[in-house]
Amino acid sequence: MAANPLYHEIILEHYEYPRNRRACACADATARGANAMCGDDLLVSLRLDAPGGTLEEVCWDGHACAIGEASASMMSEAVKGVPSAEARRWVNTVRAMVTGHAKEMAPDLELGDLESLAGIRQYPVRIKCALLAWEALDEALGIAERKRSATPAGT
Amino acid sequence: MAVIDIARAQQTPETPLDVDAIRRDFPILAQTVNGHPLVYLDSAATSQKPRQVIQALVDYYERHNSNIHRAAHTLAARSTELYERTRTRLAGFINASGPAEIIFTRNTTEALNLVAACWGGGHIGPGDEIVVTQMEHHSNLVPWQRLAEGKGAHLKFVPLTPTFKFDLAAYAELLSPRVKLVALPHVSNVLGTIAPVAEVSRLAHEVGAVVVVDGAQSAPHMPVDVQALGCDFFALSAHKMLGPTGVGALWGRTALLEAMPPFLSGGSMIGEVQWTKSTWAPLPQKFEAGTPNIADVVAFGAAIEYLERLGMERVRRHEVELMRCALGALREAHPELTHYGPGDLDFRGGVLAFNVGHGAVHPHDVAQLLDGQGIAVRAGHHCARPLHSVMDAPSSVRASFYVYNTTEEVDALSRGLDEVKRVFRRVIERPQ
């Protein structure tokens, strides 16, 4: 039987062996991605390193569908170790990819496993699932950046 | 009409439904979805509509359309007559004492809100108790939460037994003179549990409480006799019983309805209007402010007529047989499923909620893979989130049956779940 067009092997592999799924110790910011209609609920936590604003730690926990959890797992791999401004570009690129706005994707980002989520755009009701963790990351980045700018330099 | 009468004369409650003939009445079923014949197993969300109902809508707009209870012209009289005919038909369908006890609303939700506002507003006070069950749809929970909060009253919950039945003994323990209102679903929209409404009503009346029944999942699927149920209010939705969306109904006992203030106010519901005060129209107009959803009420009449022609005993028997077939087939072919709901079919409507691999496969993923095979089921918490905490699952998959479903479609569901098992085999087989 043919492979399922939505449930790509890469998605299933991340669902089965999720990366960075744990409660994040000493996080700078945590945000929630929830879908009240289906009961999905993810927490995304991150920690920025003090001088450069790089995402030192990104982790997530909670419950979602295979698409939602695989996307969270791939997200944690993609943005770990990148500067927060670049993490924002990742958010925008993935958002553009799954909503079918390819022109708005950053051409220099190496999508890797995330490319397996491109097919979601053909399933409009599942776009929210794929973006659940990414929207939470976006919010957590905002919280962490506001905290940094509120803290005087050198402290 | 004569043909129908002969058919009815020959049919007994034991005569199986002629599902092939029924399916020919539902144009929507004759289509393919994602390359497969549509298998519609989501009637608990909304039923499909037979061409008789669709034609009633078209006829109304093409031949009769006019506002009701107003003008003296011929079309107005005809529209009024058609609208009121549905009220009379529904009163008979649920054995109300008379048509004036039937209030048309938008849906079950609005009917329940009407009771909460107009009866609850005048009868619930600080320290009073409202008893509901653990298996409520949000529609029969949130209005009572708001009422209790506004009045300083308390909500009490009737638990389920370990086999997902209504726990009558625990319910009896909750009753006291503080309890002013008991609200419950006749049939759970997730578990299919049939509540013992007659016994619930009898015990509630012993402590002076009124009983409000959410009949959204029973009126479409089994004979309903509000006198035998002994309840005080009964709410239902047309769109779950072959009728159009946008129409529901509240049945209430005359004495209670007469003593209640209006819900919405304005046109149609008044007796005499002066500059600073007004009086109200008699029942049922007192509760039907403004121009109602005339066309859909008229078409709802055609839906009730269709169900009456089938016979509600036969509808119920058909669904029991589909459930027997489904539970048997799925238990054998799919041991990876966790089922929710009473196994005893005398206490079970045609609703089949389950999870795959103890929740290892998310309900949305199950529903997506089934949809890929043309099978429509619902995934989520089905507007019953607190119930899912009792089920120990954040959400579930729900297949639900109606008059047009066949045992072949049960087989299609089972084959559809084979594909789910194939795609998610590794997570299903992983030790928990």
Side-chain angles (χ1 to χ4, degrees), chain B residues 64-80:
Chain B
H64 314 302
N65 178 52
S66 176
N67 213 326
I68 57 169
H69 300 139
R70 284 171 175 80
H73 59 74
T74 300
L75 292 188
R78 220 190 277 154
S79 296
T80 304

Side-chain angles (χ1 to χ4, degrees), chain A residues 34-55:
Chain A
N35 185 348
M37 292 315 288
C38 55
D40 289 355
D41 201 347
L42 295 180
L43 283 180
V44 172
S45 301
L46 57 85
R47 192 170 69 239
L48 300 181
D49 75 345
T54 296
L55 275 77

Side-chain angles (χ1 to χ4, degrees), chain A residues 1-4 6-7 9 12-13 15-17 36-40 63-67 123 125-126 129, chain B residues 359-366 368-369 378-383 385 394-395 419 422-424 426-427 430:
Chain A
M1 202 182 272
N4 190 277
L6 181 61
Y7 294 96
E9 188 54 37
L12 292 171
E13 199 269 338
Y15 184 54
E16 197 179 352
Y17 303 104
M37 292 315 288
C38 55
D40 289 355
H63 179 82
C65 61
I67 306 297
Y123 301 87
V125 296
R126 306 305 297 275
C129 310
Chain B
V361 187
H362 192 285
H364 265 191
D365 296 320
V366 177
Q368 186 84 56
L369 287 169
R378 180 143 174 212
H381 53 54
H382 322 302
C383 299
R385 194 157 191 183
S395 54
E419 168 72 357
R422 186 184 72 81
V423 171
F424 283 98
R426 293 197 311 265
V427 289
R430 188 170 54 184

Side-chain angles (χ1 to χ4, degrees), chain A residues 83-151:
Chain A
S84 65
E86 189 171 337
R88 296 269 193 189
R89 291 176 65 231
W90 273 103
V91 172
N92 292 333
T93 292
V94 172
R95 204 185 269 144
M97 176 180 75
V98 302
T99 55
H101 295 88
K103 281 184 201 153
E104 293 162 29
M105 293 169 66
D108 57 313
L109 295 178
E110 288 281 343
L111 288 172
D113 285 359
L114 281 163
E115 223 160 337
S116 64
L117 292 173
I120 299 283
R121 65 176 179 272
Q122 289 162 39
Y123 301 87
V125 296
R126 306 305 297 275
I127 290 171
K128 195 169 178 179
C129 310
L131 290 179
L132 204 60
W134 292 88
E135 301 296 351
L137 173 68
D138 202 20
E139 196 185 329
L141 283 167
I143 295 168
E145 284 162 4
R146 279 194 298 278
K147 267 191 192 170
R148 273 172 65 82
S149 59
T151 311

Side-chain angles (χ1 to χ4, degrees), chain B residues 161-164 190-193 322-345 348 351-359 388 390-393 395-399 401 410 413-414 417:
Chain B
T161 70
T163 54
F164 297 105
V190 178
L191 305 171
T193 303
L322 285 175
M323 280 297 284
R324 198 187 310 283
C325 169
L327 286 172
L330 295 182
R331 286 210 169 110
E332 192 180 315
H334 293 282
E336 76 279 13
L337 300 193
T338 306
H339 291 274
Y340 309 99
D344 182 347
L345 293 180
R348 180 84 176 258
V351 183
L352 186 81
F354 60 88
N355 263 310
V356 179
H358 300 282
H388 276 79
V390 178
M391 292 155 62
D392 197 23
S395 54
S396 56
V397 184
R398 182 185 70 185
F401 301 115
V410 170
L413 174 65
S414 184
L417 289 167

Side-chain angles (χ1 to χ4, degrees), chain B residues 124-128 146-154:
Chain B
I124 301 290
D128 284 346
R146 295 183 68 199
L147 176 63
E149 197 181 357
K151 298 287 183 179
H154 306 290

